[in-house]
Amino acid sequence: MAIRTKRVIETFLAGDLRHAESSQTRPLCLTLPPKPGTTPSDKPAVRIFLGTEAFQFRAERAFVWSIERVRDPARTYEIYLMKDFTGFERRLWLTGFTNYRFLIPELAGGRGRAIYNDTDQIYLRDPAELFDLDMDGAGVLSINDRDTSVMLIDCEKMIDLWNGRTARRVGNRELEKRMREAGLWGDLDNGWNARDAEYVPGESHLVHYTTIHSQPWRPTPQDFVYRANPAGEIWASIEREADAAGFQVFGPRHPTPDFAARASERRFETPPASRLADFKRLIEDAKAESMAYYGYDRVESLAALGDTPRTVARPESLADGAEREPVDIVAADGLAQLPDSDVAWVLDSLFSQARRAVIVAITLDESAHRATPADEIWWYQQLEAAGRRAPTRHWRLVVRKPRFGRPPKVWRWSGGALLSTTPRVWALLHYKTGHRSQTLGLAEALGWQVERKEIARAPLRYGLAMARDVFGVGSAAWPGDLKAPWPDVVVASGWLPAVAARAVRQRSGAASRLVLMGRRGGRVGESQDIAVVCRHFRVPPNPRQIETVLPPNKVAANQLTAARERWPDLFSGAAERRVVWLVGGDNAQHALDADTAGDLARRVQAQATAAGAELAVLTSRRTRDEAAEAIRQQLDAASTFVPWQPTGQADNPYLGYLAAADILVVTGESESMIAEAVATGKPVYLVPLPEAKPNLRRRVADWVATQAERDRFNARGSRRPQEGLQYACARLVDRRVFLPRRDMAALHESLVAQGVARMFGEALESWRPPAWHETEWLAQRIRAMLRLPDPDGRVVDIDADPIMVVRAG
């Protein structure tokens, strides 16, 4: 009920900004005729009525494509899109199309059959098989008498109960009740409505992504914290097929009727001349008006181009299907005036006309006659989807929301391919050793030009700089050398470097792309940044989030070779083998007190002696003094004790010991230490530490994480949408305010299963672990997600290359 209450409040205060105002009384009809080369079937057309809304544009496209994949090539299919019908009170609906299904008998003229589908479904079998089923006198077939998300309807039998009057005035549960009481319901095979985890390969005919907060396309991230879906890859594979086929529901040769009407009536507003002020000059060409394209020969910079709304394509010029000569950059404004169903193909047209970049500026239209949702996230999703279909192009999006008496609120995004073929990378270095190792390891593995930027421990100066960025007050600069020219990519690990990285992105006008690592710094939300987290962190998934087994690190073969040469005499050489024990210490989950440290030291020393090995023990910043002393007291005279010192010091032999070791023993609470040990390619033994007594914050975090994962179920057995306490706690976890406990046991089990580590037990033995190249794999994934431009070596000169700007009007 909370999500409904939220939407009622939103619409009361600002109107229903998520749905276009429409006078639509009839659905849009898509016809899939028999395929060329086939003899048309004499069977009736398969009629499918689809409940949909603007925020489900990706699901709608995947639904139609799923039918195209499996349909009878000789038969006609008619798909009716039911969206934004007039006369319905939608504020208490969970979706924007809840009651439209009960309008179908009237829309079908009270004749024949019709299938109803929600848009969050995909067909795996030909829907004609459902359409042709024997209804045995029933008016409706569905999987149960309280689930009408997939139905086969006899329109003649149902029109007296379900029609325009009842659909607009009566609730959906009451209308289902009337169906039951009239004895008109019949049972449908469950395979035609397999909900999420109910999917069975080879048996399910249709998959229904009914758990709203696990829908793979994440339609409303402002309402839910999304989880993974057990059948999510099926949907994703269908969308990839649609992308590869260049499929769109509508297109330049078959736009929506509203698009064609608006174009013929010229119902598009011309952007005011003041919006052109940032261009140096508009090309005065006699052919400009007749071509409906306006070209600008120079702009100050790509970032400046994204600062002010520009002009955009005249719709009829795109609808005529004419080929346009590509230019380097296309800038667009005015797309908010297009019907929402036409935005996707218009963006595809713009991307096809740009060799390097597309710039889109949107002013959110809150008028009563808007054609698209007045929502910045919806526009981001449109650009992100279009950019994915054109992977070699860069894109920028600027969304403005006018505010009475104040400057407009502005959102900026960038995505797609990087413009530079030789990207500049900033590595923001934290004072903590583990974060530094992760940042440098990944930044250098990317293989691009890296500049190291120290993030100093200066809370007051950071606070003043954050106030400047968030509230626009003062003029404080960030400590360190964080100033223009801005980098293409920023790599950061840890909370404070992540804050600084976001400040860089904001000050660069979203031109800098961020790679954020760790539990505190990794959330990306709805952006084109990249988060890197370990699987055992148990944080919510995100399409821009890469999960690894271990964090990246700076230990590489060449560094170990250099360290071996730098510190050749760390061990006496009296023993055949060398064992190095890396000792961690206290953190939020684990504790290493003096008793535990002393007991572990006795066991490690005994096993090293039994193995005929010389032992060296290295402590860390988190090792308590009393624990370090307890370890020292248990060591033999031949063993070496090395107290912690910052890795940045020139005489720190840490890498030297890693290089010289034959066997490594690591306390199991630190992913960073484990990652560095595994990266050496040597045998690694893991020593779990006891759980620490949880403090108040840890107890609160545990409670929040439990509530975030606690699902409720409705009468149909489906998970209820995330709302109320569950939603509030899930959002706190998503924003990294509170975090679940790291599942260190799962990490240890994974490393043992992959043969790169063993649990510390009765004896230390040598073995040959398999090669571990996760940091290199991660760097390749990030390079692919950042999408370097075409490998022609050409870098766009923004001040010289031509710009094409097209506009509605």
Side-chain angles (χ1 to χ4, degrees), residues 289-531:
E289 286 293 335
S290 62
M291 291 172 61
Y293 286 91
Y294 297 84
Y296 298 88
D297 63 345
R298 294 177 63 85
V299 293
E300 291 301 324
S301 68
L302 188 59
L305 186 59
D307 282 341
T308 302
R310 311 299 179 197
T311 53
V312 118
R314 176 178 293 164
E316 61 267 32
S317 66
L318 293 176
D320 63 16
E323 294 294 328
R324 304 294 178 185
E325 183 67 25
V327 293
D328 286 301
I329 301 171
V330 173
D333 183 19
L335 294 182
Q337 300 176 53
L338 303 176
D340 66 88
S341 294
D342 292 288
V343 168
W345 71 260
V346 170
L347 286 174
D348 283 352
S349 296
L350 296 179
F351 272 87
S352 70
Q353 295 161 12
R355 286 193 292 259
R356 302 307 299 271
V358 171
I359 315 299
V360 174
I362 297 295
T363 299
L364 295 182
D365 182 5
E366 299 183 7
S367 71
H369 303 292
R370 67 184 179 278
T372 57
D375 187 279
E376 69 282 358
I377 295 298
W378 187 82
W379 283 104
Y380 163 78
Q381 292 174 332
Q382 288 282 0
L383 264 294
E384 192 277 334
R388 188 178 59 252
R389 295 189 292 269
T392 63
R393 318 306 199 278
H394 178 80
W395 60 263
R396 298 276 179 89
L397 172 65
V398 181
V399 180
R400 280 177 169 72
K401 181 178 182 179
R403 296 186 292 183
F404 181 75
R406 291 185 295 167
K409 187 172 183 179
V410 180
W411 295 268
R412 290 182 175 87
W413 287 275
S414 67
L418 294 177
L419 280 174
S420 174
T421 56
T422 56
R424 293 175 56 245
V425 178
W426 280 5
L428 304 189
L429 302 181
H430 199 277
Y431 64 90
K432 291 184 178 180
T433 305
H435 290 313
R436 294 178 71 92
S437 178
Q438 293 175 31
T439 302
L440 285 174
L442 180 55
E444 293 172 358
L446 289 173
W448 298 328
Q449 176 187 349
V450 177
E451 300 176 39
R452 301 186 180 193
K453 304 287 184 178
E454 295 287 342
I455 303 300
R457 300 177 70 174
L460 179 59
R461 293 175 64 195
Y462 283 119
L464 293 174
M466 289 174 64
R468 174 193 183 279
D469 286 340
V470 175
F471 302 108
V473 297
S475 58
W478 280 87
D481 189 25
L482 303 186
K483 58 187 179 182
W486 304 111
D488 300 289
V489 180
V490 179
V491 180
S493 177
W495 175 81
L496 189 56
V499 171
R502 291 188 174 95
V504 170
R505 180 181 59 191
Q506 180 172 340
R507 296 188 179 192
S508 71
S512 297
R513 307 276 285 279
L514 310 186
V515 179
L516 306 176
M517 292 178 286
R519 299 197 304 162
R520 294 290 178 186
R523 180 184 183 270
V524 296
E526 303 311 304
S527 74
Q528 287 295 308
D529 299 329
I530 296 173

Side-chain angles (χ1 to χ4, degrees), residues 12 84 140 222 224 256 275 289 338 404 444 479 484 504 571 607 729 737 772 788 798 808:
F12 177 77
D84 295 331
V140 171
Q222 58 273 64
F224 303 104
T256 66
R275 292 191 182 178
E289 286 293 335
L338 303 176
F404 181 75
E444 293 172 358
V504 170
F571 289 89
Q607 291 190 25
C729 291
V737 177
W772 186 261
L788 282 176
I798 300 302

Side-chain angles (χ1 to χ4, degrees), residues 11 43 53 89 109 186 217 222 236 242 248 260 267 376 380 389 410 417 443 450 542 563 638 664-665 722 740 764 770:
T11 54
K43 294 181 179 180
E53 60 183 330
E89 174 53 71
W217 56 97
Q222 58 273 64
Q248 283 292 0
R267 290 166 54 193
E376 69 282 358
Y380 163 78
R389 295 189 292 269
V410 180
V450 177
N542 187 290
L664 290 161
V665 180
Q722 208 174 49
L764 295 176

